[in-house]
Each structure stands twice: as structure tokens, then as C-alpha cells.
Amino acid sequence: MSFSECCLKSFAWSGTPTGKVSKLNDNDVYIAGDNPDAALLIVHDILGWTFPNARLIADHFAREINATVYLPDFFGGEIVDPVPVLAGDFSKVDLVAFSKRQGRQVREPEIFAAAKTLKQKYKKVGAIGYCYGGWAMFRLGAKEHDPPLVDAISTGHPSLLTEKDIEEVAVPVQIMVPEHDPGYSAELKKFTFDTVQKNGLEFDYRYFPGIEHGALVRGDEKKPGEKYAMVRAKNAAVGWFNQFLHEL
């Protein structure tokens, strides 16, 4: 599996992130919020943990979910320059080489380790991932973890996802998908529907017509429909995690 140019469709939101930078295990991490009982782990997309959109979303989640939100660097310090990406110049990003350096097998151990550390500290832990982070959500929620690493997962336009990932998930699942999403095929969507429900898991599916892959976190707020999709996707995730990270 590899990345595609659609994963680089980006637009920097306005606003200034208000969290702090610290460490989570050996990873640099952006932290927003300070709830001692509930945490949310974000696995970023291809633009990484420093991209303003990701940090602004972390700030929103910290306030609206009332959780301590962790956005670690899962690319080992590598940062994809957003300038050529925002300009549409994909020639300056070697996606094949990037995929080898930042592939699933390379980054999965530290993603698991981050969740384990949070689960030892907090009563409830959720996880959300966008694009690249999508596969990691299903792996974090896999039945192989006993006790579970996370209490619920959410993902927006997931990439690098396999049928095996879907078959083995064992926690409540939320998926937010745009209409145009080559990274998450119609066949894989159907497989997700059939499998998650067959396995008796709580399942929330949000569909955004007219929207492209990447837009739920990296969309252009000035483009018709994308701002509304970004806001609604954020609100959907807030509602989802408020159900699982706090006592009802």
C-alpha cells in the first residue's frame, strides 16, 4: 500500500493552537486540555503533528469532549513541507520513499506504546485518526489487546486499511467518509458495514456527499461544502467520544 496525491490535499485553517509541546514516551507530542480521567489520542495524517489543522482540531476536542488530547509525532521527526503541497506541487514529495520510511510496520509499535501509556494513566482513552491514521485506529481497537488499549475509535477518510484490520476490531467504531475517497473503496465500505455489525459492535457511519478525501481535516474552509463538512465531522467525533469517555 502507498500514499497518493489525494492524501496531500490541504488547506491551513486560521487560528493559533493553544496547547503545549511535551513528551509521550520517546515521542514529541502536542497536548491540549487537562482532564485527569479522560484522554484522546490523535494519529495524524501525512502532514504530521505540527500541521496547524491537526493542532486546532486537538484544541477543539479538548474543550468540547473535556479530555486531555495527545497529538504525538509518529513520523520520527520527519515533516512534510506543507508549502508545495498547498501550492499543488506534488513533485517535491516522494510518496514511495515516504511510505517505506513511515509504513505501518515501522510506526505501529510506538502507536501501541503511546496508547498503553495513556491507558495506564487515564480511566478512559479514545483514539481518532485521519487518512494515514485510519489503519492505526483499527489496530488500536483490535481484539488482540487484553485488556483493550482504547475504549472507542473514530476515523475520517481512513487509508491503508485492510479487511483483516476490520475483522479484528473489538471496540465501538465511528467512520466518517467523504463521497470521493479512493483510499476507502466502496467494496471496503461494504465489508466494514457487514463485518462490524456482524461482530456486534456499536457502529456510527457518517457520509459527506460532494466532499473529497482529506477534506474533513485538511479541507478548504472557503470551498463550498468543505467548511460545513469539517465542522460536522468534528461535531460527530465530539458526540461520539462524549458517550464513551465519560459516565452517562
Side-chain angles (χ1 to χ4, degrees):
M1 294 183 179
S2 63
F3 297 95
S4 60
E5 290 186 1
C6 68
C7 294
L8 301 177
K9 181 182 178 296
S10 310
F11 187 87
W13 290 349
S14 59
T16 302
T18 58
K20 63 183 180 181
V21 173
S22 185
K23 284 284 188 179
L24 178 61
N25 300 332
D26 293 327
N27 298 79
D28 289 329
V29 62
Y30 177 82
I31 303 175
D34 58 1
N35 189 314
D37 297 321
L40 180 67
L41 176 66
I42 300 177
V43 180
H44 52 69
D45 66 2
I46 195 171
L47 290 181
W49 78 296
T50 62
F51 191 58
N53 293 31
R55 294 189 174 193
L56 289 168
I57 261 192
D59 291 349
H60 273 289
F61 287 156
R63 292 190 301 269
E64 299 175 38
I65 300 172
N66 186 23
T68 305
V69 181
Y70 291 80
L71 172 60
D73 172 19
F74 287 127
F75 285 164
E78 180 172 0
I79 297 174
V80 174
D81 183 2
V83 174
V85 173
L86 294 173
D89 185 3
F90 306 124
S91 66
K92 295 181 180 178
V93 181
D94 187 340
L95 293 174
V96 174
F98 185 85
S99 298
K100 292 178 180 178
R101 293 191 299 272
Q102 309 297 354
R104 291 177 46 137
Q105 296 81 358
V106 176
R107 296 303 171 191
E108 183 177 278
E110 64 193 86
I111 293 173
F112 282 2
K116 288 177 182 177
T117 296
L118 295 181
K119 196 62 174 172
Q120 291 169 358
K121 182 176 181 180
Y122 295 91
K123 294 178 181 178
K124 297 286 186 178
V125 177
I128 185 168
Y130 297 92
C131 190
Y132 172 90
W135 66 269
M137 297 303 98
F138 283 78
R139 293 294 296 130
L140 285 170
K143 61 186 178 182
E144 70 192 64
H145 306 298
D146 186 18
L149 294 181
V150 295
D151 296 283
I153 61 171
S154 176
T155 180
H157 33 70
S159 294
L160 310 181
L161 194 59
T162 69
E163 290 188 354
K164 186 172 185 291
D165 296 332
I166 298 165
E167 288 173 340
E168 296 186 349
V169 71
V171 300
V173 177
Q174 180 186 63
I175 302 180
M176 301 176 288
V177 300
E179 179 179 357
H180 308 291
D181 191 357
Y184 186 41
S185 68
E187 292 76 18
L188 202 55
K189 290 185 181 82
K190 184 179 185 304
F191 186 85
T192 305
F193 261 89
D194 294 343
T195 304
V196 172
Q197 293 179 92
K198 179 188 68 177
N199 290 340
L201 301 174
E202 288 196 54
F203 182 42
D204 183 41
Y205 183 89
R206 300 298 178 99
Y207 173 73
F208 297 89
I211 304 302
E212 299 179 12
H213 177 97
L216 300 184
V217 71
R218 304 192 309 271
D220 184 344
E221 62 181 345
K222 297 178 181 178
K223 185 173 180 180
E226 290 199 356
K227 179 178 180 179
Y228 296 102
M230 289 188 291
V231 171
R232 288 169 181 163
K234 182 267 295 179
N235 290 344
V238 167
W240 179 250
F241 287 115
N242 270 323
Q243 296 180 74
F244 294 103
L245 299 188
H246 304 290
E247 298 295 333
L248 296 177

